[in-house]
Amino acid sequence: QVQLVESGGGLVQAGGSLRLSCAASGGTFSTYAMGWFRQAPGKEREFVAAINWRGEFTSYSESVKGRFTISRDNAKRMVHLQMNSLKPEDTAVYYCAAKRPPNLNYDPWGQGTQVTVSS
């Protein structure tokens, strides 16, 4: 099973950009679909973006579509989330997670990285 560590979070002004990264160790990274999720204070964790194991297919929540881009580099065992045109409502802890059949759920998860967007 892979272990995941996120990085790249920080404080940015509205309209700015950040690139989150998730590094995987152990396991066979290229066999996992990867996802990004976020959780804002007092709110449920929500889906942000996902990418299949080969990087051919991506999906996004409506709230980030057109602003965020998920990508992966299987050779480097990395998945990224490029976030542009950030809004204060994007403020949250961002988590990456992995999923592989037959498991229908994302597991494992990283520890999260804080993204704060100031207005």
Side-chain angles (χ1 to χ4, degrees), residues 68-83:
F68 290 11
T69 303
I70 188 172
S71 62
R72 68 186 296 160
D73 184 335
N74 285 343
K76 295 182 178 179
R77 302 171 63 87
M78 299 285 291
V79 63
H80 304 285
L81 185 69
Q82 178 66 43
M83 307 187 295

Side-chain angles (χ1 to χ4, degrees), residues 1-7 21-36 72-74 76-79 95-100 106-112:
Q1 175 159 291
V2 295
Q3 293 82 48
L4 305 172
V5 178
E6 302 94 335
S7 62
S21 296
C22 176
S25 61
T28 308
F29 175 71
S30 61
T31 64
Y32 287 84
M34 299 297 297
W36 284 97
R72 68 186 296 160
D73 184 335
N74 285 343
K76 295 182 178 179
R77 302 171 63 87
M78 299 285 291
V79 63
Y95 300 89
C96 71
K99 180 171 67 172
R100 182 175 65 176
Y106 280 93
D107 178 46
W109 294 74
Q111 84 290 347

